[in-house]
Amino acid sequence: MSAPYDAVDVISIKRDGGVLGDAQIDWVVDAYTRGVVADEQMAALAMAIVLNGMVPAEVAHWTAAMIASGEQMSFAELSRPTADKHSTGGVGDKITLPLAPLVAACGVAVPQLSGRGLGHTGGTLDKLESIAGWRASLTNAELMAQLEDVGAVICAAGAGLAPADKKLYALRDVTGTVESIPLIASSIMSKKIAEGTRALVLDVKVGSGAFMKDVDSARELAETMVALGTDAGVHTVALLTDMSTPLGRTAGNALEVREAVEVLAGGGPADVVELTLALAREMLAGAGVHGVDPAERLADGSAMDVWRAMITAQGGDPDASLPIARETQSVVADSEGVLTRLDALSVGVAAWRLGAGRARQGDPVQAGAGVELHAKQGEAVRAGQPLLTMHTDEPERFDRALTALDGGWSVEPGGAVDQQSPVVIQRIT
Ligand code: URA
């Protein structure tokens, strides 16, 4: 039987600014997943979508077609409600690590199917793999059992979940077609809807270290994703959060795990604690759990108990010392004043070049590499004070990391001390 559509016709419709019909979308997504539509054809279609966009009905159907390309999970059998969080990715964004056990300690199961880092934003699995013995891959049966017993799981998304997106995302990554609101929204939401969570909180980052550099485009992405989730019956809320400067005081795998454990122990940087609690409250509300204060579960150690159980259940040793990079080099302030700007993208690229991230899928990462910040944006600094320390196993990486940091921070003599800039910019429902 001949194919119902021709790939070139579908590409041409989008190239000329037209709207794809449901059947055309179903066909092209399915045919691409099966290898009938070639990579170069899908790359051309993705570029046409980047340039000409999609109407809401197309985004909704494209998302549905990607969900239909694989399995759909269900957590309906669990004894407690589920809630999940997705971040669009940022520098120093270790929030998933304290958040998942915290929300579980409040009575909501958290199935956090995560990815690895690519480019300057870190990946949750890379961070956790710096813990000795911890393993990212679980079978669906193991995932369910851990959710019931421990309440929180952070693991790799299985190959069966939205395989069309796996293939398409890898293609977009190498064809300059990531930056498109319809493609990003459908990519994220196809995985989250297929996963079967009851409630979803989206942390949509805004600023230099994020995909979305300005609030208007972040809001449009958030609104598109909230509409997709809501239409699919998932209670979905988005928070627009600041990513113009790194979150917390660390960017890099083991460095970030250390900071996450500090938060679970009741300490940690104020911005990380603030965002963790804001997202936890949204997840609990979305799952229908009221009257539990997540701040109390951080303070009384119950979130830490779940963290230890979660790491242990996946083969990790929560008491093992974390890897430390062999070499360090600090950058000092050359004058006294206020650190008025510390740019997220500069720090993210520096951490990446030090070995914390990968340039190509499958590359190894260094567990100990990254950047440790001694001053945060808005803090007063003295001349000669270390502003940050770079960590790596390979000292030849320092120069390129320093180049990334060049121009990424400013100390101003009369600058205003401002430690209170809010992390959460806007809530979208
Ligand atoms: N994360 C995803 O999963 N997909 C995108 O397209 C962008 C970020």
Side-chain angles (χ1 to χ4, degrees):
M1 201 175 74
S2 63
Y5 298 101
D6 187 273
V8 176
D9 292 341
V10 174
I11 296 164
S12 308
I13 292 172
K14 231 338 114 191
R15 181 199 61 202
D16 298 339
V19 172
L20 299 177
D22 290 356
Q24 287 167 325
I25 291 174
D26 285 340
W27 175 77
V28 79
V29 170
D30 175 60
Y32 176 60
T33 311
R34 290 184 291 111
V36 171
V37 166
D39 272 349
E40 57 270 27
Q41 294 176 311
M42 190 47 118
L45 180 57
M47 186 57 85
I49 293 170
V50 169
L51 298 176
N52 291 327
M54 277 179 154
V55 301
E58 284 177 296
V59 186
H61 208 80
W62 188 273
T63 307
M66 294 215 291
I67 295 169
S69 73
E71 63 173 325
Q72 273 199 266
M73 297 173 67
S74 166
F75 300 115
E77 299 300 309
L78 289 178
S79 60
R80 37 183 161 176
T82 49
D84 195 4
K85 184 259 330 187
H86 180 85
S87 158
T88 55
V91 178
D93 183 4
K94 69 280 294 171
I95 301 291
T96 296
L97 307 185
L99 181 66
L102 172 60
V103 171
C106 297
V108 171
V110 185
Q112 182 76 58
L113 305 186
S114 301
R116 288 173 202 286
L118 197 63
H120 73 276
T121 62
T124 300
L125 302 181
D126 295 326
K127 294 170 197 179
L128 286 169
E129 279 176 349
S130 60
I131 300 174
W134 187 85
R135 89 192 144 89
S137 292
L138 297 184
T139 62
N140 283 359
E142 287 171 327
L143 165 69
M144 289 294 176
Q146 188 174 325
L147 271 182
E148 190 60 55
D149 298 346
V150 178
V153 177
I154 303 174
C155 66
L161 216 60
D165 176 63
K166 277 209 176 60
K167 203 170 166 194
L168 180 56
Y169 189 61
L171 181 74
R172 288 167 56 214
D173 199 42
V174 294
T175 54
T177 52
V178 171
E179 285 81 359
S180 148
I181 287 176
L183 291 178
I184 296 175
S186 55
S187 165
I188 291 172
M189 294 307 292
S190 62
K191 288 174 283 203
K192 290 295 165 183
I193 296 168
E195 173 196 294
T197 183
R198 167 171 162 183
L200 175 64
V201 180
L202 298 161
D203 180 0
V204 179
K205 304 284 186 200
V206 193
S208 73
F211 275 127
M212 298 294 138
K213 308 291 181 200
D214 62 87
V215 174
D216 286 346
S217 45
R219 190 182 299 117
E220 191 185 334
L221 174 63
E223 285 170 352
T224 306
M225 292 196 290
V226 168
L228 289 171
T230 307
D231 288 351
V234 181
H235 184 288
T236 311
V237 168
L239 298 184
L240 303 191
T241 71
D242 182 39
M243 189 33 69
S244 58
T245 195
L247 254 178
R249 291 180 178 267
T250 55
N253 301 309
L255 290 168
E256 292 192 41
V257 172
R258 191 188 73 198
E259 192 168 276
V261 172
E262 283 165 18
V263 171
L264 288 160
D271 57 346
V272 178
V273 176
E274 179 190 336
L275 185 52
T276 304
L277 290 175
L279 291 166
R281 292 190 177 110
E282 294 290 354
M283 289 167 76
L284 295 176
V289 170
H290 303 282
V292 185
D293 180 4
E296 275 173 25
R297 302 295 157 102
L298 270 187
D300 69 12
S302 47
M304 178 68 99
D305 292 342
V306 178
W307 161 264
R308 295 178 61 82
M310 178 182 88
I311 297 301
T312 306
Q314 288 171 245
D317 176 359
D319 296 315
S321 359
L322 290 163
I324 295 174
R326 280 194 286 275
E327 307 281 341
T328 58
Q329 186 174 311
S330 293
V331 172
V332 299
D334 41 21
S335 59
E336 178 170 325
V338 168
L339 183 61
T340 49
R341 195 171 67 88
L342 179 60
D343 179 57
L345 183 62
S346 306
V347 173
V349 173
W352 176 29
R353 291 185 179 172
L354 289 164
R358 52 174 68 78
R360 276 186 307 260
Q361 245 148 19
D363 282 356
V365 295
Q366 289 181 31
V371 176
E372 187 179 7
L373 306 174
H374 304 298
K376 294 265 294 168
Q377 191 167 283
E379 290 179 1
V381 296
R382 286 170 284 102
Q385 171 190 327
L387 285 180
L388 56 89
T389 299
M390 300 179 290
H391 296 241
T392 183
D393 290 335
E394 296 162 330
E396 62 276 15
R397 290 177 178 261
F398 284 134
D399 279 352
R400 291 199 64 230
L402 278 171
T403 309
L405 289 166
D406 194 27
W409 50 275
S410 333
V411 173
E412 287 177 28
V417 179
D418 165 27
Q419 296 182 30
Q420 306 303 322
S421 21
V423 184
V424 178
I425 297 167
Q426 197 182 341
R427 179 173 187 270
I428 310 245
T429 53

